[in-house]
Amino acid sequence: MTDTGLDPMSGQEAQSMSGRPKGGPTWARRLGFDRFTGIYIWAIIIALFSIWTPETFLTKATLSGIISAQAITAILALGVLIALAAGQYDLSAAQAMGFGAVLCTWLLTKHAPIIIAILITLACCGAVGVSNALLITKVGINSFIATLGSSSILLAITELISNDQYLGPVPTTFQALAVTQRWSIPILLPYLIVLGTVIWAVLEHTPIGRRTYATGASIETARLVGVPTGRYVAISLVATSLCAGVAGILLAAQIGTVSSLIGPSYLLPVFAACFLGTTQFKPGRFNVGGTLLALFLLATGVKGLQLVGGQQWLTDAFNGVALLVAVGIAVVSERRRSDA
Amino acid sequence: MRQRLRSTIAVSVGITVALLMSACSSSSSSNTPPNSGPSSSSASTSAIVAEAKQAVQKATNVQGQLALPVLSKAPAPGKTIGLITCGVPACQQNNQQAEQALKLLGWNFKPILSQFTPQSFQAAIETAVQDKVDGLIVDFFFPPSIVKAQLEAAKNAGIVVVATGVGQVEYGGDQPIQAVTQGQVGQQAIGKLQAQVIIADSNGNPGTVAYVRDPEVPFYVNLSDGFQAEMQKAGIKTSMVNVSQGDPTSQIVSQVVSFAQKTPSLRYITGGISEPLLTGVPQGLKGASITDVKIVGASPEQSDIQDIKNGTQLAAVDFDNDLAIWLSVYQLTAIIGGDPLAPDLRNPIGLHRVVTNSVAQTLTDDTLPPTPGIPDVFKAAWHIS
């Protein structure tokens, strides 16, 4: 295993941010500004839009709309989180999702049985993870560079499969995997909850998770204490690609028609959510709760702005401001605690 | 340090308030207020409705509508034609059509790939100049001003340049661009036909109508201008839903569904192009339990035709990009061969088709057949037996 030099969270940084509070209790700490700013901001956003536009915001349609719009992004974000926890940037994740969506749709349009199409897609996406892992752990390429390269190769393969055409539609029975609703709750939510719970449990409550975090915090230190870092990096990259495959399959089912260009636009929101997530619940650590909170916080604000008729630039600005505000408050709060 | 935390919070609150105030003020400017119904006299409205129905009827069956003047002589073989193209599906379709048309003429085809960056677009035209092609079809995904110098260089090198998918541009005479297909006039005609589909279906009283577009793409702006002009003629106001086509599909869908949620009077949604602007919108509306909104697609893919068949989509207007490319090749053959090109062929409106449920039901493989007249009308014009 090689030290990438571009680890998402250096050991010193992670140690500093994840340390327990040193200072005495203050009103800010008591209110949990160092760990729960996102929840406060989310509550404020919900309250604000509930007062502002109650007839449209406080509806089941809003809830289901936010879940439908974010669940797939969230699944991809959870995948990226695993790689980040192991100290690796997987820039190919979004394109792997696009690849999965196109491959699955292509197989279905060739009349492959749904289960076969899903299994082949997952296997191919898993292979992408294996390939990334080999490039990073065996060849020794920086994860940033390796996954950037594989993203480009994946785009090329996706273009070949799609023949640069829109593919679809997918069969209705396949679409039901993503568009079914019960009591106005999209079926995507249970998928997200199950996947999120599994990833949370593994990362937070198993030796595998602890070693993954140790690898991400300081790969050299982890190696010196006997953690087989290469193995954990590889596992995390394969897990990321598998999550991307799941997200791709669900994306194909949700929208029915896909092209080779569908993936890349998801990259920034996913990384933004993961980094914003590090300011929540467990400051300084990529964590499932923080990432999901970040995604749904931003989505709620954007939805509210959309419902009151905000222009496109406003939603973009909101995303940026919310990210900076949440991170800013958490960082200042953390620094204050350290100084005390 | 406490002061710093307070400052952070104060700044945050300030920015948030500013954003929300912007949202308040922009809510009235970004989207036109919902329509309250036709305001023109009932006589003129019924004339517009009748015209719309006639136009839609005509566009559902364009058999025999394509006609071209026969050139004075058969084009000399062996010319090389470049096409500035891109990697998206629509561009690849253009490549196929250009290749077919040029093969009939015995001409060589040289596709030149450009990325979606101005520098790459400039470099692609420079490549065509270096390659000394005889003619060049430029699919404009950037304003012509970006490649002004390159087009001048092409003109100085004696390359005949024709444009497709371009907005407002000078052409003919001493200009570097000699002719245009799917130009501003053609794009506005597409928008007009989209409006006519809605006017005809609603008998001129469609409630609120939303047009989904990316305002940074001139093509969409021209389409929506044509749409809005026709709607205004009928006294119907249009609400523009501005999205960024670079955003994730789920975000675009969320924007459109949110607009539908906050606009209970909304009855029709249409947009610049079905994929990606309307991809997933039917499912999104269904998920939000909005069932009384009709979708009029644009440039339909297979999935759209299936949606039209099963009633999820009312209809779709086909831009006929294929015909635009064939017409570009025709323009090149005429100009290179020294034939005069009538004004309506230097910037033709095109032949746009409306795919309704009855049309879709006749399509066995859910794909539109080539425009009636391709390639026979062109072969006749080029003296090819």
Side-chain angles (χ1 to χ4, degrees), chain A residues 164 257 306-307 312 335 339, chain B residues 1 4 89 255 258 262 303:
Chain A
D164 286 311
T257 303
Q306 287 171 349
L307 287 174
Q312 171 66 22
R335 191 183 301 151
D339 290 352
Chain B
M1 190 57 74
R4 189 185 293 165
Q255 265 186 273
S258 297
K262 73 177 176 112
S303 58

Side-chain angles (χ1 to χ4, degrees), chain B residues 48-125:
Chain B
I48 289 164
V49 171
E51 186 195 339
K53 286 184 174 175
Q54 199 180 0
V56 172
Q57 181 63 35
K58 191 178 170 193
T60 54
N61 183 6
V62 294
Q63 191 74 42
Q65 290 181 33
L66 181 63
L68 288 171
V70 175
L71 298 183
S72 59
K73 55 185 182 296
K79 304 285 184 193
T80 298
I81 304 298
L83 169 65
I84 307 298
T85 185
C86 67
V88 306
C91 288
Q92 298 305 311
Q93 181 78 5
N94 288 349
N95 290 357
Q96 289 169 14
Q97 296 303 316
E99 193 166 16
Q100 277 179 36
L102 294 170
K103 197 174 171 187
L104 283 177
L105 292 161
W107 288 13
N108 305 309
F109 175 49
K110 185 169 180 51
I112 303 164
L113 185 71
S114 166
Q115 307 297 324
F116 287 107
T117 62
Q119 291 85 350
S120 178
F121 194 48
Q122 290 172 342
I125 297 180

